[in-house]
Amino acid sequence: QILRNPDVFCFAEQQCHTSATEILKVQPDLDNKEVATWRSLDLIETLLYLADNGHSMQVAELLAFPRSNCPDVLVLGLLQINPPITLLRQELLGKLFKVFLAPHPNSGVILAHAWHSQSIQIKPILMLSMADWYLKAGQEGDNEHSRLSRILDVAQDLKALSMMLNGQPFPFVIDLAILASRREYLNLEKWLGDKIREHGEIFVAATVKFLQRKIPAVMGPGPLKEDSVPKQTLPVDCLATIILCLQEAGRSMPLGQEVAETILAMVSVCTSVLSRPRPPPPPPPGVLRGPTLPSLGPGPPGGFNPPAPGLTPQPRHNLTP
């Protein structure tokens, strides 16, 4: 009842710890007591405690107002209160970060504040939020590539690209690496080789599925035609690089039968693409430098460390598109 009647009692007018809204580029309307209430860190901590002790539905209802009307104030509070990072707190942060991946006047401040948080748990929440925002583009009637481009811009602003490219889920990370290579931030061939060495067949299978989803025609029937390739999101040169890396992995490491056979089928279908002359990769000015992909066979030439024994299992993967 108190929260529903801030004109009678406003938490922000009481002695309490308040969020540092002064860092925001565009200030919230703190003359509005319904908004000012949510500056109270004590209030947010209390609600999270109540949610963890059997009152989650009621708390969710109370949080509906700040989520819709002052998400910047709420997210600052969630970032600035004390540990622990409860399940509800993770869920709220994950949803609120998406508000600031979309256009918002306080996007830059909020995302930078989150990325540089002293809590080591915040970065993974932000990265997962980015991946989920990208993966749900189609469901939400948005363009997947435009969201990916926005995420790459944010990653560069935060100097977060290297860490993000070491994360998961793999379909998101592979697409991000392709776009980063097109902007000459990294050498795609070397990056793929590193990932194949690090994760083995799990990453190889994920890359195969990625291609099947992006370009169904890589599985035939008949030779791949260039007009089947979505050049805006996956240029032919990048496709050739990925196929060649998969082919090299098939030659150099043990793979499950289905994965290996699928790679051979892709190579056969994409012969015309692979036979095209390939321009030399430009020297990347940004995050990931290094030579082109060496052999994935035994030994650590070219700076690649072989995987430890037992870290490259051979699971069966359902690769039906």
Side-chain angles (χ1 to χ4, degrees):
Q1 290 298 320
I2 290 175
L3 287 174
R4 293 188 177 98
N5 296 277
D7 52 325
V8 177
F9 181 95
C10 179
F11 280 93
E13 294 177 346
Q14 310 308 310
Q15 186 172 358
C16 64
H17 299 93
T18 56
S19 58
T21 52
E22 63 273 8
I23 70 172
L24 295 174
K25 182 178 179 181
V26 176
Q27 289 294 304
D29 179 14
L30 297 181
D31 291 333
N32 181 339
K33 292 184 178 181
E34 282 187 286
V35 171
T37 288
W38 295 100
R39 288 193 69 204
S40 171
L41 301 180
D42 305 278
L43 169 62
I44 294 173
E45 285 185 331
T46 301
L47 289 175
L48 292 179
Y49 173 81
L50 290 172
D52 279 347
N53 287 273
H55 302 282
S56 57
M57 294 292 290
Q58 296 93 323
V59 170
E61 289 177 16
L62 293 172
L63 291 171
F65 176 85
R67 284 181 59 182
S68 299
N69 295 276
C70 51
D72 39 11
V73 177
L74 179 59
V75 78
L76 276 183
L78 290 166
L79 289 170
Q80 292 171 5
I81 59 175
N82 294 320
I85 307 289
T86 64
L87 193 60
L88 176 60
R89 189 173 172 188
Q90 288 182 47
E91 182 183 324
L92 286 168
L93 285 169
K95 290 177 178 178
L96 287 165
F97 287 150
K98 295 175 188 178
V99 173
F100 301 98
L101 291 171
H104 189 284
N106 283 322
S107 288
V109 175
I110 293 292
L111 295 174
H113 190 65
W115 187 257
H116 298 294
S117 167
Q118 293 183 348
S119 171
I120 60 172
Q121 293 173 278
I122 299 299
K123 280 189 177 75
I125 297 171
L126 178 53
M127 289 192 290
L128 283 173
S129 181
M130 289 179 177
D132 193 56
W133 188 64
Y134 153 83
L135 292 168
K136 288 182 177 174
Q139 299 174 30
E140 297 172 358
D142 203 354
N143 181 276
E144 194 175 82
H145 186 68
S146 66
R147 286 193 177 187
L148 190 71
S149 181
R150 164 66 175 157
I151 288 168
L152 182 56
D153 290 340
V154 169
Q156 282 295 94
D157 289 344
L158 298 177
K159 296 180 171 54
L161 185 56
S162 290
M163 182 177 288
M164 289 178 63
L165 289 173
N166 282 319
Q168 291 194 32
F170 288 140
F172 164 66
V173 173
I174 293 166
D175 218 358
L176 186 64
I178 290 168
L179 183 57
S181 74
R182 293 176 63 195
R183 295 190 187 177
E184 301 183 4
Y185 295 155
L186 62 79
N187 181 318
L188 182 62
E189 199 169 2
K190 181 186 183 301
W191 181 83
L192 287 167
D194 285 341
K195 292 295 151 193
I196 290 168
R197 278 200 168 278
E198 182 180 356
H199 300 287
E201 183 175 355
I202 294 172
F203 184 80
V204 172
T207 306
V208 168
K209 286 185 177 181
F210 172 83
L211 288 182
Q212 289 174 325
R213 183 177 74 89
K214 282 281 186 180
I215 315 173
V218 294
M219 298 307 297
L224 180 71
K225 297 178 181 178
E226 284 198 26
D227 58 9
S228 301
V229 180
K231 297 181 182 64
Q232 181 186 0
T233 58
L234 183 53
V236 174
D237 289 340
C238 291
L239 172 61
T241 296
I242 296 170
I243 297 275
L244 288 170
C245 287
L246 291 175
Q247 185 181 38
E248 181 65 23
R251 291 170 178 162
S252 306
M253 62 173 55
L255 298 173
Q257 182 179 354
E258 188 178 359
V259 177
E261 289 177 353
T262 304
I263 292 172
L264 289 174
M266 283 185 172
V267 171
S268 176
V269 169
C270 298
T271 301
S272 62
V273 169
L274 298 177
S275 62
R276 285 176 39 147
R278 299 174 64 210
V287 291
L288 299 179
R289 299 177 179 269
T292 56
L293 178 70
S295 168
L296 294 175
F304 286 86
N305 294 317
L311 292 185
T312 53
Q314 299 180 36
R316 296 295 178 190
H317 297 272
N318 178 12
L319 296 174
T320 303

